[in-house]
Coordinates of all heavy atoms in Angstrom, one line a residue:
M1 N -2.6 -8.9 0.6 CA -3.1 -8.2 -0.5 C -3.6 -9.1 -1.6 O -3.7 -8.7 -2.7 CB -2.1 -7.2 -1.0 CG -1.8 -6.1 -0.1 SD -0.9 -4.8 -1.0 CE -0.2 -4.0 0.3
T2 N -3.8 -10.4 -1.2 CA -4.2 -11.3 -2.2 C -5.6 -11.0 -2.8 O -5.9 -11.3 -4.0 CB -4.3 -12.7 -1.7 OG1 -5.1 -12.8 -0.5 CG2 -2.9 -13.2 -1.3
V3 N -6.5 -10.4 -2.1 CA -7.8 -10.0 -2.6 C -7.7 -8.9 -3.6 O -8.4 -9.0 -4.7 CB -8.7 -9.5 -1.4 CG1 -10.0 -9.0 -1.9 CG2 -9.0 -10.7 -0.4
L4 N -6.9 -7.9 -3.4 CA -6.8 -6.8 -4.3 C -5.6 -6.9 -5.3 O -5.6 -6.1 -6.2 CB -6.6 -5.5 -3.5 CG -7.6 -5.2 -2.4 CD1 -7.3 -3.9 -1.7 CD2 -9.0 -5.0 -3.1
G5 N -4.7 -7.8 -5.0 CA -3.5 -7.8 -5.8 C -2.5 -6.8 -5.4 O -2.9 -5.9 -4.6
V6 N -1.3 -6.8 -5.8 CA -0.3 -5.8 -5.3 C -0.7 -4.4 -5.8 O -0.7 -3.5 -5.0 CB 1.1 -6.2 -5.8 CG1 2.1 -5.1 -5.4 CG2 1.6 -7.6 -5.2
E7 N -1.0 -4.3 -7.0 CA -1.3 -2.9 -7.5 C -2.6 -2.4 -6.9 O -2.6 -1.2 -6.5 CB -1.3 -2.9 -9.0 CG 0.0 -3.4 -9.6 CD 0.5 -2.5 -10.8 OE1 -0.2 -1.7 -11.2 OE2 1.6 -2.8 -11.2
G8 N -3.6 -3.2 -6.8 CA -4.8 -2.8 -6.1 C -4.6 -2.5 -4.6 O -5.2 -1.5 -4.1
G9 N -3.7 -3.3 -4.0 CA -3.4 -3.0 -2.6 C -2.6 -1.7 -2.4 O -2.9 -0.9 -1.5
I10 N -1.8 -1.4 -3.4 CA -1.0 -0.1 -3.4 C -2.0 1.1 -3.5 O -2.0 2.1 -2.8 CB 0.1 -0.1 -4.4 CG1 1.2 -1.0 -3.9 CG2 0.6 1.4 -4.6 CD1 2.3 -1.2 -4.9
D11 N -3.0 0.9 -4.5 CA -4.0 2.0 -4.7 C -4.8 2.1 -3.4 O -5.1 3.3 -3.0 CB -4.9 1.6 -5.8 CG -4.3 1.7 -7.2 OD1 -3.2 2.3 -7.3 OD2 -4.8 1.1 -8.1
F12 N -5.1 1.0 -2.7 CA -5.9 1.1 -1.5 C -5.1 1.8 -0.4 O -5.6 2.7 0.3 CB -6.2 -0.3 -1.0 CG -7.1 -0.4 0.2 CD1 -8.4 -0.4 0.1 CD2 -6.5 -0.5 1.5 CE1 -9.3 -0.4 1.2 CE2 -7.3 -0.6 2.6 CZ -8.7 -0.5 2.5
L13 N -3.8 1.5 -0.3 CA -2.9 2.2 0.7 C -2.8 3.7 0.4 O -2.8 4.5 1.3 CB -1.5 1.5 0.8 CG -1.5 0.1 1.3 CD1 -0.1 -0.5 1.2 CD2 -1.9 0.1 2.8
L14 N -2.6 4.0 -0.9 CA -2.5 5.4 -1.2 C -3.8 6.2 -1.0 O -3.7 7.4 -0.6 CB -2.0 5.5 -2.7 CG -0.6 5.1 -3.0 CD1 -0.3 5.1 -4.5 CD2 0.4 6.0 -2.2
Q15 N -4.9 5.5 -1.2 CA -6.2 6.2 -1.0 C -6.6 6.4 0.5 O -7.0 7.4 0.9 CB -7.3 5.4 -1.7 CG -8.7 6.0 -1.6 CD -8.8 7.2 -2.5 OE1 -8.2 7.4 -3.5 NE2 -9.8 8.1 -2.2
F16 N -6.3 5.3 1.3 CA -6.9 5.3 2.6 C -5.8 5.3 3.7 O -6.1 5.3 4.9 CB -7.8 4.1 2.8 CG -9.0 4.0 1.9 CD1 -9.1 3.1 0.9 CD2 -9.9 5.0 2.0 CE1 -10.1 3.1 0.0 CE2 -11.0 5.0 1.1 CZ -11.1 4.0 0.1
G17 N -4.5 5.1 3.3 CA -3.5 5.0 4.3 C -3.4 6.2 5.3 O -3.5 7.4 4.9
G18 N -3.3 5.9 6.6 CA -3.2 7.0 7.6 C -4.6 7.3 8.2 O -4.7 8.1 9.1
G19 N -5.6 6.6 7.7 CA -7.0 6.9 8.2 C -7.7 5.6 8.5 O -7.2 4.5 8.4
Y20 N -9.0 5.8 8.8 CA -9.8 4.6 9.1 C -10.8 4.4 7.9 O -11.2 5.3 7.2 CB -10.7 4.9 10.3 CG -10.0 4.8 11.6 CD1 -9.5 5.9 12.3 CD2 -9.9 3.6 12.3 CE1 -8.9 5.8 13.5 CE2 -9.3 3.4 13.5 CZ -8.8 4.6 14.1 OH -8.1 4.5 15.3
V21 N -11.0 3.1 7.7 CA -12.1 2.7 6.8 C -13.0 1.7 7.5 O -12.6 1.1 8.5 CB -11.5 2.0 5.5 CG1 -10.7 3.0 4.7 CG2 -10.7 0.8 5.8
Y22 N -14.2 1.5 7.0 CA -15.1 0.6 7.6 C -15.3 -0.5 6.6 O -15.6 -0.2 5.4 CB -16.4 1.2 8.0 CG -17.3 0.2 8.7 CD1 -17.2 0.0 10.0 CD2 -18.3 -0.5 8.0 CE1 -18.0 -0.9 10.7 CE2 -19.1 -1.4 8.6 CZ -19.0 -1.6 10.0 OH -19.8 -2.5 10.6
L23 N -15.0 -1.8 7.0 CA -15.2 -2.9 6.1 C -16.4 -3.7 6.5 O -16.6 -4.0 7.6 CB -14.0 -3.8 6.1 CG -12.7 -3.2 5.6 CD1 -11.5 -4.1 5.8 CD2 -12.8 -2.7 4.2
S24 N -17.2 -4.1 5.5 CA -18.4 -4.9 5.7 C -18.5 -6.0 4.7 O -18.1 -5.8 3.5 CB -19.6 -4.0 5.6 OG -20.8 -4.8 5.7
E25 N -19.0 -7.1 5.1 CA -19.3 -8.2 4.1 C -20.5 -7.9 3.2 O -20.7 -8.6 2.2 CB -19.4 -9.5 4.9 CG -18.1 -10.0 5.5 CD -18.2 -11.4 6.1 OE1 -19.1 -12.2 5.7 OE2 -17.4 -11.7 7.0
R26 N -21.3 -6.9 3.6 CA -22.4 -6.4 2.8 C -22.2 -4.9 2.6 O -23.0 -4.1 3.2 CB -23.7 -6.8 3.4 CG -24.0 -8.3 3.3 CD -25.3 -8.6 3.9 NE -25.1 -8.8 5.4 CZ -26.0 -8.6 6.3 NH1 -27.2 -8.2 5.9 NH2 -25.7 -8.7 7.6
P27 N -21.2 -4.5 1.9 CA -20.9 -3.0 1.8 C -22.0 -2.2 1.0 O -22.6 -2.8 0.1 CB -19.6 -3.0 1.0 CG -19.6 -4.2 0.2 CD -20.3 -5.3 1.1
Q28 N -22.1 -1.0 1.4 CA -23.1 -0.1 0.8 C -22.4 0.5 -0.5 O -21.2 0.7 -0.5 CB -23.5 1.0 1.7 CG -24.1 0.5 3.0 CD -25.4 -0.1 2.8 OE1 -26.3 0.4 2.1 NE2 -25.6 -1.3 3.4
D29 N -23.2 0.9 -1.4 CA -22.7 1.4 -2.7 C -22.0 2.8 -2.4 O -21.1 3.1 -3.2 CB -23.8 1.7 -3.7 CG -24.4 0.4 -4.3 OD1 -23.6 -0.6 -4.2 OD2 -25.5 0.4 -4.7
R30 N -22.4 3.5 -1.4 CA -21.8 4.8 -1.1 C -20.4 4.7 -0.4 O -19.8 5.7 -0.1 CB -22.7 5.7 -0.4 CG -23.1 5.2 1.0 CD -24.1 6.1 1.6 NE -24.5 5.7 2.9 CZ -25.4 4.8 3.2 NH1 -26.1 4.3 2.3 NH2 -25.7 4.4 4.5
S31 N -20.0 3.5 0.0 CA -18.8 3.3 0.7 C -17.6 3.7 -0.1 O -17.5 3.4 -1.3 CB -18.6 1.8 1.1 OG -17.3 1.5 1.4
P32 N -16.7 4.5 0.4 CA -15.4 4.9 -0.3 C -14.6 3.6 -0.8 O -14.0 3.7 -1.8 CB -14.6 5.7 0.7 CG -15.6 6.1 1.7 CD -16.7 5.1 1.8
V33 N -14.7 2.6 0.0 CA -13.9 1.3 -0.4 C -14.6 0.8 -1.6 O -13.9 0.3 -2.5 CB -13.9 0.3 0.8 CG1 -13.2 -1.0 0.4 CG2 -13.2 0.9 2.0
V34 N -15.9 0.7 -1.6 CA -16.6 0.2 -2.8 C -16.3 1.1 -4.0 O -16.1 0.5 -5.1 CB -18.1 0.1 -2.5 CG1 -18.9 -0.2 -3.8 CG2 -18.4 -0.9 -1.5
E35 N -16.3 2.4 -3.8 CA -16.0 3.3 -5.0 C -14.6 3.0 -5.6 O -14.4 3.1 -6.8 CB -16.0 4.7 -4.5 CG -17.5 5.2 -4.2 CD -17.5 6.6 -3.7 OE1 -16.5 7.4 -3.9 OE2 -18.6 7.0 -3.2
L36 N -13.7 2.6 -4.7 CA -12.3 2.3 -5.2 C -12.2 0.9 -5.8 O -11.6 0.7 -6.9 CB -11.3 2.5 -4.1 CG -9.8 2.2 -4.5 CD1 -9.3 3.3 -5.5 CD2 -8.9 2.1 -3.3
V37 N -12.7 -0.1 -5.1 CA -12.4 -1.5 -5.5 C -13.6 -2.3 -6.0 O -13.5 -3.4 -6.5 CB -11.7 -2.3 -4.4 CG1 -10.4 -1.7 -3.9 CG2 -12.6 -2.5 -3.2
G38 N -14.8 -1.8 -5.8 CA -16.0 -2.5 -6.2 C -16.6 -3.3 -5.0 O -15.8 -3.6 -4.1
A39 N -17.9 -3.6 -5.1 CA -18.6 -4.2 -4.0 C -18.0 -5.6 -3.7 O -17.9 -6.1 -2.6 CB -20.1 -4.3 -4.2
E40 N -17.8 -6.4 -4.8 CA -17.3 -7.8 -4.6 C -16.0 -7.8 -3.9 O -15.8 -8.6 -3.0 CB -17.2 -8.4 -6.0 CG -16.9 -9.9 -5.9 CD -17.0 -10.5 -7.3 OE1 -18.0 -10.3 -8.0 OE2 -16.0 -11.2 -7.7
K41 N -15.0 -7.0 -4.3 CA -13.7 -7.0 -3.7 C -13.8 -6.4 -2.3 O -13.1 -6.9 -1.4 CB -12.7 -6.3 -4.5 CG -12.3 -7.1 -5.7 CD -11.1 -6.4 -6.5 CE -10.7 -7.2 -7.7 NZ -9.6 -6.6 -8.4
A42 N -14.6 -5.4 -2.1 CA -14.8 -4.9 -0.7 C -15.3 -5.9 0.2 O -14.8 -6.0 1.4 CB -15.7 -3.7 -0.8
A43 N -16.3 -6.7 -0.2 CA -16.8 -7.8 0.6 C -15.7 -8.9 0.9 O -15.6 -9.4 2.0 CB -18.0 -8.4 0.0
A44 N -15.0 -9.2 -0.1 CA -13.9 -10.2 0.0 C -12.8 -9.7 1.0 O -12.3 -10.5 1.8 CB -13.3 -10.5 -1.3
L45 N -12.5 -8.4 0.9 CA -11.5 -7.8 1.8 C -12.0 -7.9 3.2 O -11.3 -8.2 4.1 CB -11.3 -6.4 1.4 CG -10.1 -5.7 2.0 CD1 -8.8 -6.4 1.7 CD2 -10.0 -4.3 1.5
A46 N -13.3 -7.6 3.5 CA -13.9 -7.7 4.8 C -13.8 -9.2 5.3 O -13.5 -9.4 6.5 CB -15.3 -7.2 4.8
K47 N -14.1 -10.1 4.5 CA -14.0 -11.5 4.9 C -12.6 -11.9 5.2 O -12.3 -12.7 6.2 CB -14.5 -12.5 3.8 CG -16.0 -12.4 3.7 CD -16.5 -13.4 2.6 CE -18.0 -13.2 2.4 NZ -18.5 -14.1 1.3
R48 N -11.6 -11.4 4.5 CA -10.2 -11.7 4.7 C -9.6 -11.1 5.9 O -8.9 -11.7 6.7 CB -9.4 -11.3 3.4 CG -7.9 -11.5 3.5 CD -7.5 -12.8 3.0 NE -6.0 -12.8 2.9 CZ -5.3 -13.8 3.3 NH1 -5.8 -14.8 3.8 NH2 -4.0 -13.7 3.1
I49 N -9.9 -9.8 6.1 CA -9.3 -9.0 7.2 C -10.2 -9.0 8.4 O -9.7 -9.0 9.5 CB -9.0 -7.5 6.7 CG1 -8.0 -7.6 5.6 CG2 -8.6 -6.7 7.8 CD1 -7.7 -6.2 5.0
G50 N -11.5 -8.9 8.2 CA -12.4 -8.8 9.3 C -13.3 -7.6 9.1 O -12.9 -6.6 8.4
T51 N -14.5 -7.6 9.7 CA -15.4 -6.5 9.5 C -15.2 -5.5 10.6 O -14.6 -5.7 11.6 CB -16.9 -7.0 9.5 OG1 -17.1 -7.6 10.8 CG2 -17.1 -8.0 8.4
G52 N -15.7 -4.3 10.3 CA -15.6 -3.2 11.2 C -14.6 -2.1 10.8 O -14.1 -2.1 9.7
G53 N -14.3 -1.2 11.8 CA -13.3 -0.2 11.5 C -11.9 -0.7 11.5 O -11.5 -1.6 12.2
L54 N -11.1 -0.1 10.6 CA -9.7 -0.5 10.4 C -8.9 0.7 10.2 O -9.2 1.6 9.3 CB -9.6 -1.5 9.2 CG -8.3 -1.7 8.6 CD1 -7.5 -2.7 9.5 CD2 -8.4 -2.4 7.2
R55 N -7.8 0.8 10.9 CA -6.8 1.9 10.6 C -5.9 1.4 9.6 O -5.2 0.3 9.7 CB -6.0 2.3 11.9 CG -5.0 3.3 11.6 CD -4.2 3.7 12.8 NE -5.0 4.5 13.6 CZ -4.9 4.7 14.9 NH1 -3.9 4.0 15.5 NH2 -5.7 5.4 15.6
V56 N -5.8 2.0 8.4 CA -5.0 1.6 7.3 C -3.6 2.2 7.4 O -3.4 3.4 7.6 CB -5.7 2.0 6.0 CG1 -4.8 1.6 4.8 CG2 -7.1 1.6 5.9
P57 N -2.6 1.3 7.4 CA -1.2 1.8 7.5 C -0.8 2.6 6.2 O -1.5 2.4 5.1 CB -0.4 0.6 7.6 CG -1.2 -0.5 7.0 CD -2.6 -0.1 7.2
L58 N 0.2 3.4 6.3 CA 0.6 4.2 5.1 C 1.3 3.3 4.1 O 1.1 3.4 2.9 CB 1.6 5.3 5.6 CG 0.9 6.4 6.4 CD1 2.0 7.4 6.9 CD2 -0.1 7.2 5.5
G59 N 2.1 2.4 4.6 CA 2.8 1.4 3.7 C 3.8 2.0 2.7 O 4.2 1.4 1.7
K60 N 4.3 3.2 3.0 CA 5.2 3.9 2.0 C 6.5 3.2 1.8 O 6.9 3.1 0.6 CB 5.4 5.4 2.5 CG 4.2 6.2 2.3 CD 4.4 7.7 2.6 CE 3.2 8.5 2.3 NZ 3.5 10.0 2.5
P61 N 7.1 2.6 2.8 CA 8.4 1.9 2.5 C 8.1 0.7 1.5 O 8.9 0.4 0.6 CB 8.9 1.4 3.8 CG 8.3 2.4 4.8 CD 7.0 2.8 4.2
F62 N 7.0 0.0 1.7 CA 6.7 -1.1 0.9 C 6.4 -0.6 -0.6 O 6.9 -1.2 -1.5 CB 5.5 -1.9 1.4 CG 4.8 -2.8 0.4 CD1 5.4 -4.0 0.1 CD2 3.7 -2.4 -0.3 CE1 4.8 -4.8 -0.9 CE2 3.1 -3.2 -1.2 CZ 3.7 -4.5 -1.5
I63 N 5.6 0.4 -0.7 CA 5.3 1.0 -2.0 C 6.5 1.5 -2.7 O 6.7 1.2 -3.9 CB 4.3 2.1 -1.8 CG1 2.9 1.6 -1.2 CG2 4.0 2.8 -3.2 CD1 2.0 2.7 -0.8
A64 N 7.4 2.1 -1.9 CA 8.7 2.6 -2.5 C 9.5 1.4 -3.1 O 10.0 1.5 -4.2 CB 9.5 3.4 -1.5
A65 N 9.6 0.3 -2.3 CA 10.4 -0.8 -2.8 C 9.7 -1.5 -4.0 O 10.4 -1.9 -5.0 CB 10.5 -1.9 -1.7
Y66 N 8.4 -1.5 -4.0 CA 7.7 -2.1 -5.2 C 7.9 -1.2 -6.4 O 8.2 -1.8 -7.5 CB 6.2 -2.2 -4.9 CG 5.4 -2.7 -6.1 CD1 5.4 -4.1 -6.4 CD2 4.7 -1.9 -6.9 CE1 4.7 -4.6 -7.5 CE2 4.0 -2.3 -8.0 CZ 4.0 -3.7 -8.3 OH 3.3 -4.1 -9.4
L67 N 7.8 0.1 -6.3 CA 7.9 1.0 -7.4 C 9.4 0.9 -7.9 O 9.6 0.9 -9.2 CB 7.5 2.4 -7.1 CG 6.1 2.6 -6.7 CD1 5.8 4.1 -6.3 CD2 5.2 2.2 -7.9
R68 N 10.4 0.8 -7.0 CA 11.8 0.8 -7.4 C 12.0 -0.5 -8.2 O 12.7 -0.5 -9.2 CB 12.7 0.9 -6.2 CG 14.1 1.0 -6.6 CD 14.4 2.3 -7.3 NE 15.9 2.4 -7.5 CZ 16.4 3.1 -8.5 NH1 15.6 3.8 -9.3 NH2 17.7 3.2 -8.6
A69 N 11.4 -1.6 -7.7 CA 11.6 -2.9 -8.4 C 10.9 -2.9 -9.8 O 11.3 -3.7 -10.7 CB 11.0 -4.0 -7.6
N70 N 10.0 -1.9 -10.0 CA 9.4 -1.7 -11.3 C 10.0 -0.6 -12.1 O 9.3 0.1 -12.9 CB 7.9 -1.6 -11.2 CG 7.2 -2.9 -10.9 OD1 7.0 -3.7 -11.8 ND2 7.0 -3.2 -9.6
N71 N 11.3 -0.3 -11.8 CA 12.1 0.6 -12.5 C 11.7 2.1 -12.4 O 12.0 2.9 -13.3 CB 12.2 0.2 -14.0 CG 12.8 -1.1 -14.2 OD1 13.8 -1.4 -13.5 ND2 12.2 -2.0 -15.0
W72 N 11.0 2.5 -11.3 CA 10.8 3.9 -11.1 C 12.0 4.5 -10.6 O 12.8 3.9 -9.8 CB 9.7 4.0 -10.0 CG 8.3 3.8 -10.5 CD1 7.8 2.7 -11.2 CD2 7.2 4.7 -10.3 NE1 6.5 2.9 -11.5 CE2 6.0 4.0 -10.9 CE3 7.0 5.9 -9.6 CZ2 4.8 4.6 -10.8 CZ3 5.7 6.4 -9.6 CH2 4.6 5.8 -10.2
S73 N 12.2 5.8 -10.9 CA 13.4 6.5 -10.4 C 13.1 6.9 -8.9 O 11.9 7.0 -8.5 CB 13.7 7.8 -11.2 OG 12.7 8.7 -11.0
I74 N 14.2 7.2 -8.2 CA 14.0 7.7 -6.8 C 13.2 8.9 -6.8 O 12.3 9.1 -5.9 CB 15.4 7.9 -6.2 CG1 16.3 6.7 -6.2 CG2 15.3 8.6 -4.8 CD1 15.8 5.6 -5.2
N75 N 13.5 9.9 -7.7 CA 12.7 11.1 -7.7 C 11.2 10.9 -8.0 O 10.4 11.6 -7.4 CB 13.3 12.1 -8.7 CG 14.6 12.7 -8.2 OD1 14.8 12.9 -7.0 ND2 15.5 13.0 -9.1
A76 N 10.9 10.0 -8.9 CA 9.5 9.7 -9.3 C 8.8 9.1 -8.1 O 7.6 9.5 -7.8 CB 9.4 8.8 -10.5
I77 N 9.5 8.2 -7.4 CA 8.9 7.6 -6.2 C 8.6 8.7 -5.1 O 7.6 8.7 -4.5 CB 9.8 6.5 -5.6 CG1 9.9 5.4 -6.6 CG2 9.3 6.0 -4.3 CD1 11.0 4.4 -6.3
A78 N 9.6 9.5 -4.9 CA 9.5 10.6 -3.9 C 8.3 11.5 -4.2 O 7.5 11.8 -3.3 CB 10.8 11.4 -3.8
R79 N 8.1 11.9 -5.5 CA 7.0 12.7 -5.9 C 5.7 12.0 -5.7 O 4.7 12.5 -5.2 CB 7.2 13.2 -7.3 CG 8.2 14.3 -7.5 CD 8.1 14.9 -8.9 NE 8.5 13.9 -9.9 CZ 9.7 13.7 -10.4 NH1 10.7 14.3 -9.8 NH2 9.9 12.8 -11.3
R80 N 5.6 10.7 -6.0 CA 4.4 9.9 -5.9 C 4.0 9.8 -4.5 O 2.8 9.8 -4.1 CB 4.6 8.5 -6.5 CG 3.4 7.6 -6.4 CD 2.3 8.0 -7.4 NE 1.4 6.9 -7.4 CZ 0.1 7.1 -7.3 NH1 -0.4 8.3 -7.2 NH2 -0.8 6.1 -7.4
L81 N 5.0 9.6 -3.6 CA 4.7 9.4 -2.1 C 4.7 10.6 -1.3 O 4.5 10.6 -0.1 CB 5.6 8.3 -1.6 CG 5.5 6.9 -2.3 CD1 6.5 5.9 -1.6 CD2 4.1 6.4 -2.2
H82 N 5.0 11.8 -1.9 CA 5.0 13.1 -1.2 C 6.1 13.0 -0.1 O 5.8 13.5 1.0 CB 3.7 13.5 -0.7 CG 2.7 13.6 -1.8 ND1 2.6 14.7 -2.7 CD2 1.7 12.7 -2.2 CE1 1.6 14.5 -3.5 NE2 1.1 13.3 -3.3
V83 N 7.2 12.6 -0.4 CA 8.4 12.6 0.5 C 9.6 13.0 -0.2 O 9.6 13.2 -1.4 CB 8.6 11.2 1.2 CG1 7.4 10.7 2.0 CG2 8.9 10.1 0.1
T84 N 10.7 13.2 0.5 CA 11.9 13.6 -0.2 C 12.7 12.4 -0.8 O 12.4 11.2 -0.3 CB 12.9 14.3 0.8 OG1 13.3 13.4 1.8 CG2 12.2 15.5 1.5
D85 N 13.6 12.7 -1.7 CA 14.4 11.6 -2.2 C 15.3 11.0 -1.2 O 15.6 9.8 -1.2 CB 15.2 12.1 -3.4 CG 16.2 13.2 -3.0 OD1 15.8 14.2 -2.4 OD2 17.4 13.0 -3.2
V86 N 15.7 11.8 -0.2 CA 16.5 11.2 0.9 C 15.7 10.2 1.7 O 16.2 9.1 2.1 CB 16.9 12.4 1.9 CG1 17.6 11.9 3.1 CG2 17.8 13.4 1.1
T87 N 14.4 10.4 1.9 CA 13.6 9.5 2.6 C 13.4 8.2 1.8 O 13.5 7.1 2.4 CB 12.2 10.1 2.9 OG1 12.3 11.2 3.8 CG2 11.3 9.1 3.6
V88 N 13.2 8.3 0.6 CA 13.1 7.1 -0.3 C 14.4 6.3 -0.3 O 14.4 5.1 -0.1 CB 12.7 7.5 -1.7 CG1 12.8 6.3 -2.7 CG2 11.4 8.1 -1.8
R89 N 15.5 7.0 -0.4 CA 16.8 6.2 -0.3 C 17.0 5.5 1.0 O 17.5 4.4 1.1 CB 18.0 7.2 -0.5 CG 18.1 7.7 -1.9 CD 19.3 8.7 -2.1 NE 19.1 9.7 -3.1 CZ 19.2 9.4 -4.4 NH1 19.4 8.2 -4.8 NH2 19.0 10.4 -5.3
K90 N 16.6 6.2 2.1 CA 16.7 5.5 3.4 C 15.8 4.3 3.5 O 16.3 3.2 3.9 CB 16.3 6.5 4.5 CG 16.4 5.9 5.9 CD 15.9 6.8 7.0 CE 16.0 6.3 8.4 NZ 15.5 4.9 8.5
W91 N 14.6 4.4 3.0 CA 13.7 3.2 3.0 C 14.3 2.1 2.2 O 14.3 0.9 2.7 CB 12.3 3.5 2.5 CG 11.5 4.4 3.3 CD1 11.5 4.6 4.7 CD2 10.4 5.2 2.9 NE1 10.5 5.4 5.1 CE2 9.8 5.9 4.0 CE3 9.9 5.5 1.6 CZ2 8.8 6.7 3.9 CZ3 8.8 6.4 1.5 CH2 8.2 7.0 2.7
L92 N 14.8 2.4 1.0 CA 15.3 1.3 0.2 C 16.6 0.7 0.8 O 16.8 -0.5 0.7 CB 15.6 1.9 -1.2 CG 14.4 2.4 -2.0 CD1 14.7 3.0 -3.3 CD2 13.4 1.2 -2.2
N93 N 17.5 1.6 1.4 CA 18.7 1.1 2.0 C 18.3 0.2 3.3 O 18.9 -0.8 3.5 CB 19.6 2.2 2.4 CG 20.3 2.8 1.2 OD1 20.5 2.2 0.2 ND2 20.7 4.1 1.4
D94 N 17.3 0.6 4.0 CA 16.9 -0.1 5.2 C 16.4 -1.5 4.8 O 16.6 -2.5 5.4 CB 15.8 0.6 6.0 CG 16.3 1.8 6.8 OD1 17.6 2.0 6.9 OD2 15.5 2.6 7.3
A95 N 15.6 -1.5 3.7 CA 15.1 -2.8 3.2 C 16.3 -3.7 2.7 O 16.2 -4.9 3.0 CB 14.1 -2.6 2.0
E96 N 17.3 -3.2 2.1 CA 18.4 -4.0 1.7 C 19.2 -4.5 2.9 O 19.6 -5.7 2.9 CB 19.4 -3.1 0.9 CG 19.3 -3.2 -0.6 CD 20.3 -2.4 -1.4 OE1 21.5 -2.4 -0.9 OE2 20.0 -1.9 -2.4
D97 N 19.3 -3.7 4.0 CA 20.0 -4.2 5.2 C 19.3 -5.3 5.8 O 19.9 -6.1 6.5 CB 20.2 -3.0 6.1 CG 21.2 -2.0 5.7 OD1 21.9 -2.3 4.7 OD2 21.1 -0.8 6.2
R98 N 17.9 -5.4 5.7 CA 17.2 -6.5 6.3 C 17.2 -7.8 5.5 O 16.8 -8.8 6.0 CB 15.7 -6.0 6.5 CG 15.6 -5.0 7.6 CD 14.1 -4.9 8.0 NE 13.3 -4.4 6.9 CZ 13.0 -3.2 6.5 NH1 13.6 -2.2 7.3 NH2 12.3 -2.9 5.5
Q99 N 17.7 -7.7 4.2 CA 17.8 -8.9 3.4 C 18.8 -9.9 4.0 O 19.9 -9.5 4.4 CB 18.2 -8.6 2.0 CG 17.1 -7.9 1.2 CD 16.0 -8.9 0.8 OE1 16.3 -10.1 0.5 NE2 14.8 -8.5 0.7
L100 N 18.5 -11.2 3.9 CA 19.5 -12.2 4.3 C 20.6 -12.2 3.3 O 20.4 -12.2 2.1 CB 18.8 -13.5 4.4 CG 17.8 -13.7 5.5 CD1 17.1 -15.1 5.4 CD2 18.4 -13.6 6.9
K101 N 21.8 -12.3 3.8 CA 23.0 -12.5 2.9 C 23.1 -14.0 2.6 O 23.2 -14.8 3.5 CB 24.2 -11.9 3.6 CG 24.1 -10.5 4.0 CD 23.9 -9.5 2.9 CE 23.9 -8.1 3.4 NZ 22.8 -7.3 2.8
L102 N 23.2 -14.3 1.3 CA 23.3 -15.7 0.9 C 24.7 -16.2 0.8 O 25.0 -17.4 0.7 CB 22.5 -15.9 -0.4 CG 21.0 -15.6 -0.3 CD1 20.4 -15.8 -1.7 CD2 20.4 -16.5 0.7
S103 N 25.7 -15.3 0.8 CA 27.1 -15.7 0.7 C 27.8 -15.1 1.9 O 27.4 -14.2 2.5 CB 27.7 -15.2 -0.6 OG 27.7 -13.8 -0.7
L104 N 29.0 -15.7 2.2 CA 29.8 -15.2 3.3 C 30.8 -14.2 2.9 O 31.3 -14.0 1.9 CB 30.5 -16.4 3.9 CG 29.5 -17.4 4.5 CD1 30.3 -18.6 5.0 CD2 28.8 -16.8 5.7

């Protein structure tokens, strides 16, 4: 997400996640990607990821972790991502379980 930044990447995932987008190094003005990020960033994204059709992942566990790290409540995250608070808690707990333990 270096091209878009974290917040821009999250906006991209929320807008296009779960579907296909077409990336081009010479994007058209009518492109939904251009409408969201602008032509310059759309072209840079195509150079970084590759041109052509792309299935965009949902990225909800990542987004939930980012929002929680930015002091969002569990309920606010659940509403933003259209999932239950139970799902958000599971994602956050799963992410904690994957963290390396630094002490014994």
Side-chain angles (χ1 to χ4, degrees):
M1 290 194 203
T2 57
V3 171
L4 302 177
V6 175
E7 302 226 350
I10 287 173
D11 289 342
F12 187 85
L13 291 172
L14 290 173
Q15 180 76 25
F16 300 113
Y20 283 95
V21 295
Y22 186 83
L23 299 177
S24 171
E25 291 186 22
R26 289 181 277 153
Q28 303 294 312
D29 289 339
R30 65 183 181 272
S31 162
V33 176
V34 170
E35 288 178 16
L36 180 69
V37 302
E40 187 176 308
K41 286 186 179 180
L45 192 59
K47 286 180 185 176
R48 174 93 168 134
I49 295 175
T51 59
L54 166 73
R55 177 180 287 154
V56 181
L58 292 172
K60 288 184 178 184
F62 165 77
I63 297 168
Y66 177 79
L67 295 177
R68 187 65 175 157
N70 284 280
N71 299 316
W72 282 50
S73 71
I74 300 290
N75 286 328
I77 295 168
R79 284 191 296 273
R80 177 75 167 131
L81 299 179
H82 301 281
V83 297
T84 67
D85 62 304
V86 174
T87 299
V88 172
R89 288 180 208 288
K90 180 184 179 313
W91 288 336
L92 297 175
N93 287 335
D94 288 350
E96 263 185 36
D97 291 343
R98 286 192 303 269
Q99 286 286 326
L100 292 175
K101 306 296 182 224
L102 299 178
S103 62
L104 297 175

